[in-house]
Amino acid sequence: VGQDLLDKYDVKLDSAILAEEKHQPLFKELVDKYNPKYIAGGATQNTIRVAQWMMPKPPNQTAYMGCVGNDDYAKKLEECASADGVLVHYMKDEKAPTGTCAALIKDGERALVTNLDAANNFKPSHLETEKSKEIIASAKCFYCAGFFLTVSVESLVQVAEHALANNKTFCLNLSAPFIVDFFGDQLATAMPYADFLFGNEGEAAAYGQKHDLGEDLKRVALAVSALPKKNSSKPRTVVFTQGSQSTIIACDGKVTEFAVDPLARELLVDTNGAGDAFVGGFLSQLVNGKDMEACVKAGHWAAKYIIQQSGTQFGATCDYQA
């Protein structure tokens, strides 16, 4: 898109926002004038799709739950995720349409405007279905985006309590500065369960500013890693990505930085999904018991691959070499 469209709807590049009333005409304008690509998405689902793709194992090593409408978008989502080997178990809302996200891309940078719709209606009752119970019982690692804190903290806590009681790994993502700024209480409820906390530089800076931790992201990461934690048997690991700058890992009072292999500017297609892909790559190694260096290396590789595509799309086979 051009700067004129961004200005018209008061949208800034490198931002992720929830659609307000003033943004509603944007979705129709994109369809009418811009010939958009329709790509199955959802931040968490994309992370899980990438993790599944990078695992050297058969399908259904991963599962995903969320809420969708009973419409064509929901069918497309399920087809796409299932084709990628992810076991999906959606809650279906008969009254609301499936959520959509407009990814506005200008010169390789992106802005996201999201209509949550059905995604906003996930209920704890879905966790009581037999399929959900089976998925939760068999999983050894759980991942939740910060976006879900706007939907059902009760559901998050229920899954996190299971992880805690069974000494399983629970991972959380800050997801966007507005989560830090406007959903601080919900984030504070979830944080004690987080064995791994992910965020990018913008989210990390927002957290540091809100909690008076300064502007040094290494210090912010250390402070967050030392926050109270329910499972005291393992320290919290904080992972802050910084685009093409080094990734910061803080754990147990120590900070480590991992350099990012740069990508030539002309190869950059779309930064949308880079952070989700990083976490997918990271988790694909974490669940197999790999060390931090291996996890970050896989995360960097996944992010670099995805930013050379339009949206979170990938080939049938993954040629990543751990």
Side-chain angles (χ1 to χ4, degrees), residues 50-51 53-54 241-245 247 260-263 267-282 295-314 320:
V50 170
W53 180 60
M54 290 183 66
T241 57
Q242 303 184 93
S244 59
Q245 304 302 307
T247 294
V260 173
D261 185 19
L263 179 71
L267 296 176
L268 176 64
V269 175
D270 175 9
T271 56
N272 183 33
D276 300 329
F278 171 88
V279 179
F282 188 102
C295 293
V296 174
K297 179 186 170 195
H300 285 170
W301 184 90
K304 187 176 183 180
Y305 180 97
I306 288 301
I307 64 176
Q308 295 178 75
Q309 324 298 320
S310 181
T312 303
Q313 301 186 92
F314 33 76
Y320 177 68

Side-chain angles (χ1 to χ4, degrees), residues 97-116:
T98 299
T100 50
C101 177
L104 309 178
I105 298 151
K106 178 179 181 285
D107 301 330
E109 297 296 308
R110 59 81 167 141
L112 305 178
V113 184
T114 301
N115 257 335
L116 287 172

Side-chain angles (χ1 to χ4, degrees), residues 29 91 128 130 167 239 249 260 271 319:
E29 184 167 343
M91 179 176 183
E128 301 306 320
E130 286 308 310
N167 199 30
V239 184
I249 306 279
V260 173
T271 56
D319 59 4

Side-chain angles (χ1 to χ4, degrees), residues 8-83:
K8 179 178 178 181
Y9 290 101
D10 191 24
V11 175
K12 293 180 173 54
L13 285 174
D14 200 29
S15 70
I17 60 172
L18 295 179
E20 300 171 32
E21 197 62 42
K22 67 181 180 183
H23 297 117
Q24 294 310 321
L26 166 66
F27 293 85
K28 185 173 189 316
E29 184 167 343
L30 289 174
V31 172
D32 291 346
K33 298 180 182 175
Y34 286 86
N35 190 28
K37 286 186 181 175
Y38 293 90
I39 298 167
T44 305
Q45 185 165 257
N46 281 345
T47 289
I48 302 307
R49 288 172 56 221
V50 170
Q52 175 66 52
W53 180 60
M54 290 183 66
M55 283 183 191
K57 287 185 175 177
N60 295 355
Q61 296 298 306
T62 60
Y64 172 78
M65 291 186 220
C67 187
V68 298
N70 189 6
D71 52 26
D72 288 342
Y73 281 145
K75 292 192 190 87
K76 184 176 177 62
L77 276 179
E78 185 156 2
E79 283 168 11
C80 180
S82 299

